[in-house]
């Protein structure tokens, strides 16, 4: 998996939370594709049953599963686990959650 910037980290965490929160598999498929994800159906090869699995690829994270929904859920669980969390409250590390100044602000306070 490639190195992630803070913005990508937040996008990955948000996408994984949204996918895990969907109740129906159809909703997960629609959301996964709308996020730009790629789903590949298996191409059955006689004698190689381990290659008969779906692939889900989004944000450089590739996971496989026995069905389309299983591949998406595997992707979401892996993506959620790959996001660094703050030790204090378990939220994802984000550049705008108090860790640093917002862009365009100065360090001087009003008197």
């Amino acid at each position: 998996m490639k190195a992630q910037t803070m913005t990508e980290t937040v996008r990955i965490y948000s996408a994984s939370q949204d996918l895990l929160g969907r109740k129906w598999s159809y909703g997960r498929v629609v959301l996964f594709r709308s996020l730009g994800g790629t789903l590949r159906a298996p191409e059955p090869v006689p004698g190689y049953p381990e290659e008969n699995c779906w692939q889900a690829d989004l944000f450089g994270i590739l996971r496989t599963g026995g069905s389309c929904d299983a591949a998406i859920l595997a992707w979401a669980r892996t993506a959620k686990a790959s996001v660094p969390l703050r030790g204090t409250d378990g939220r994802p590390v984000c550049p705008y959650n108090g860790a640093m100044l917002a862009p365009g602000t100065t360090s001087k306070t009003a008197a």
Side-chain angles (χ1 to χ4, degrees):
M1 188 168 64
K2 66 178 184 168
Q4 304 167 357
T5 64
M6 288 299 208
T7 306
E8 289 174 342
T9 301
V10 173
R11 289 179 63 203
I12 291 170
Y13 185 79
S14 177
S16 66
Q17 288 292 90
D18 288 345
L19 287 166
L20 291 171
R22 296 285 167 130
K23 184 176 180 182
W24 305 104
S25 61
Y26 179 76
R28 282 189 286 271
V29 172
V30 170
L31 178 59
F32 191 81
R33 287 192 173 164
S34 70
L35 291 169
T38 304
L39 295 168
R40 289 181 206 91
E43 296 178 12
V45 179
Y48 297 97
E50 65 276 358
E51 295 185 14
N52 296 335
C53 54
W54 284 80
Q55 293 181 347
D57 186 13
L58 178 61
F59 299 125
I61 301 172
L62 175 68
R63 286 295 170 262
T64 59
S67 67
C68 181
D69 192 44
I72 293 172
L73 288 174
W75 182 93
R77 289 184 191 108
T78 302
K80 184 177 176 184
S82 73
V83 173
L85 301 177
R86 296 191 319 180
T88 55
D89 57 4
R91 291 187 299 170
V93 175
C94 175
Y96 305 111
N97 63 4
M100 62 175 52
L101 293 172
T105 61
T106 61
S107 59
K108 297 179 181 179
T109 58

